[in-house]
Amino acid sequence: MSDAAAPDQAIALCASADLQDGGLAVPFEVLYQGQHCRAFAVRYAGQVHAYLNRCAHVPMEMDYQENRFFDHSGHWLLCATHGATYAPDTGACVAGPCRGSLVKIALSESGGVVRWHTAKQLQPFEF
Ligand code: FES
């Protein structure tokens, strides 16, 4: 087995217009450390951000309605289970029972397209 890491790839996720500030997330699927996980992308203060859909309290999915992670103010990401609250731009836990941060996934946006970037522990999930 080679130690050479596969080059990181940028994978098209959605159109820029699909992500509105403080609005619904766009979900996607990844392999994280070899495990199938759901992930989500949101827009906050004009910038796109993505995280594993896995709470830093108990590793459960967080959305309280499908693809809805923001609280009613549009400024915080919430976990539906016990109310952990995260900063949408960093994924850091700011309130509630979480410790640490959400697992961040690199995104880029150009030409009206949002792409997510693979990494050593983060690969596309093949159905
Ligand atoms: S599982 Fe998310 S706050 Fe407990």
Side-chain angles (χ1 to χ4, degrees):
M1 191 174 130
S2 167
D3 283 341
D8 293 351
Q9 305 171 54
I11 299 175
L13 174 59
C14 63
S16 291
D18 293 340
L19 291 174
Q20 301 294 324
D21 243 71
L24 291 179
V26 169
F28 58 108
E29 319 254 337
V30 299
L31 269 185
Y32 177 68
Q33 298 181 335
Q35 287 192 321
H36 175 210
C37 294
R38 290 181 66 217
F40 65 97
V42 292
R43 186 182 298 280
Y44 179 70
Q47 301 299 311
V48 291
H49 303 278
Y51 302 98
L52 287 187
N53 186 356
R54 195 169 76 171
C55 188
H57 175 219
V58 176
M60 297 178 67
E61 294 186 358
M62 304 192 320
D63 32 339
Y64 58 98
Q65 288 172 9
E66 196 175 359
N67 301 328
R68 191 170 291 280
F69 295 84
F70 276 107
D71 70 351
H72 64 276
S73 76
H75 291 298
W76 305 107
L77 300 174
L78 290 182
C79 175
T81 305
H82 310 109
T85 305
Y86 299 93
D89 50 351
T90 63
C93 175
V94 293
C98 45
R99 289 193 190 140
S101 301
L102 300 176
V103 175
K104 195 165 179 67
I105 298 173
L107 292 184
S108 60
E109 183 173 26
S110 63
V113 177
V114 177
R115 296 176 176 83
W116 71 274
H117 292 251
T118 63
K120 189 172 178 203
Q121 302 290 354
L122 195 65
Q123 297 296 322
F125 176 70
E126 311 289 347
F127 290 93

